[in-house]
Amino acid sequence: MEFHNIKKSTVIKGFKWVGERIGYPEHEIMGDTYPMTWADDDNIYTSSGDPFWGESISGLDIEYFTGGPEDYKIFKASHMNDYLGWGGNGPKPSGMICVDGILYLAFQNLMKGAKSPHSIRCQPGADAHIIYANPRWHQWNPSYAAIKEPMFPGSHFGGPAFINFGKNNENARDNYVYAVSSDQWDNGSNLRVGRVPKEHIPNRNYWEFISAFNPDGTPVWNTDLNLAIPVLSIHRFISLPEMVYLKELDRYLLLTVHMKEDFNPDTGSDLLILDAPEPWGPFSLVHYEELWEGMDYTPYCPRIPLKWMSKDHKSGYIQFSGNWSTYGRDAGYYRSAIRKFEIEVY
């Protein structure tokens, strides 16, 4: 497939898999989405959407990964019993980051029942909010009952995915925390960028978004979300995104998938990996793979756990969610999976 106006990367020469998919061995631990961050206590913290284990099986929870990559274990940190509702009718995780020892979780669908802008078949990703907690206490603030309206209403910034820079955000570019968002959970079309001073992550008044570009290519920031412009548009090809910064390569890596049919777990998905010198681009093509993992398995929400990257950032593991197909149970029904990769630079 051709991606118009997106040239091949001049920094990353190639991407290849090393080995096959490894499904999480404990079949009873299920869930999806898994936005993740490398916290100051050396664990990987994440949130699972509609987890099928523990006290609450819909909505979302808080989990953490220890060990790894090929022997990691998943544990429950908090059941989040108030965060209930299946699929688009309940809160779902979109981003997580650890900054100065505090965990922040972005989730979408606070208002429930939102419509997807591009297809009624797709799962919505709108009405996002951010909560926070110290990972040693697991008390998330504000409480779900106290949230009366979303920080980011609508779909423009409906699924914020924090850009992770390293353990406890140690390689951050400046005093801001950055996030990217598509406009739909699956098969969206536009990517937008927001930022906030790290001391004010849960405060909407401090968030600003790219609204234009100066002649020299630097972004113009504005607090009005309605003025936010896409920094990348690929029609129906930008699902819930993942972006990480690879310090040794000085590049931002963007991952997303395109489902062959809207919100259909039975027809496969395509993997898209782009890189850029800045969170807002310009983006170049690293890897495109049609029917990633084949026809009998529909992976989605690819993640790069920075803890599992090599020191030179040339190899690591992609963690991703497995399909929820009724015929795909033998292939790893609805649970975490990993696969090792290597990249070659010029």
Side-chain angles (χ1 to χ4, degrees), residues 231-270:
V231 299
L232 176 69
S233 295
I234 308 176
H235 184 62
R236 309 303 313 284
F237 222 98
I238 306 178
S239 301
L240 197 67
E242 163 88 339
M243 185 179 283
V244 297
Y245 176 67
L246 303 182
K247 180 183 178 182
E248 297 305 314
L249 305 184
D250 194 22
R251 300 296 280 186
Y252 293 84
L253 214 58
L254 171 68
L255 292 81
T256 190
V257 299
H258 165 256
M259 301 186 77
K260 284 298 188 182
E261 294 183 8
D262 293 343
F263 203 62
N264 188 338
D266 297 334
T267 54
S269 63
D270 305 331

Side-chain angles (χ1 to χ4, degrees), residues 134-170:
N134 185 301
R136 256 67 67 184
W137 297 107
H138 315 305
Q139 179 64 48
W140 289 85
N141 301 289
S143 68
Y144 190 64
I147 304 172
K148 304 304 181 184
E149 59 184 13
M151 288 177 62
F152 311 113
S155 60
H156 265 25
F157 212 66
F162 294 112
I163 301 175
N164 273 264
F165 285 81
K167 182 179 181 180
N168 200 27
N169 215 35
E170 64 184 359

Side-chain angles (χ1 to χ4, degrees), residues 3 14 22-23 33 43 50 56-57 85 107 117 120 133 165 168 186 190 211 214 229 231 249 268 274 312 336 339:
F3 297 98
I22 303 174
T33 312
N43 288 322
D50 291 336
S56 301
I57 61 174
F107 68 91
I120 60 173
F165 285 81
N168 200 27
D186 61 306
N190 301 295
S211 61
N214 293 307
I229 64 169
V231 299
L249 305 184
L274 306 176
D312 61 5
S336 171
R339 193 171 180 186

Side-chain angles (χ1 to χ4, degrees), residues 65-103:
F65 291 14
T66 64
E70 295 189 13
D71 62 350
Y72 69 98
K73 299 284 290 183
I74 301 177
F75 295 93
K76 189 85 70 171
S78 178
H79 296 279
M80 307 297 279
N81 290 329
D82 292 338
Y83 288 73
L84 303 177
W86 295 106
N89 290 313
K92 295 296 172 291
S94 64
M96 183 167 274
I97 195 168
C98 182
V99 180
D100 296 335
I102 304 298
L103 287 177

Side-chain angles (χ1 to χ4, degrees), residues 198-237:
K198 69 176 185 177
E199 299 85 2
H200 299 289
I201 296 171
N203 191 328
R204 170 62 181 88
N205 294 330
Y206 287 87
W207 276 85
E208 54 187 9
F209 310 89
I210 294 178
S211 61
F213 285 95
N214 293 307
D216 64 357
T218 57
V220 177
W221 300 92
N222 197 300
T223 58
D224 188 346
L225 179 55
N226 293 319
L227 299 181
I229 64 169
V231 299
L232 176 69
S233 295
I234 308 176
H235 184 62
R236 309 303 313 284
F237 222 98

Side-chain angles (χ1 to χ4, degrees), residues 35-46:
M36 53 183 53
T37 190
W38 186 6
D40 60 326
D41 64 1
D42 207 37
N43 288 322
I44 296 172
Y45 283 83
T46 185

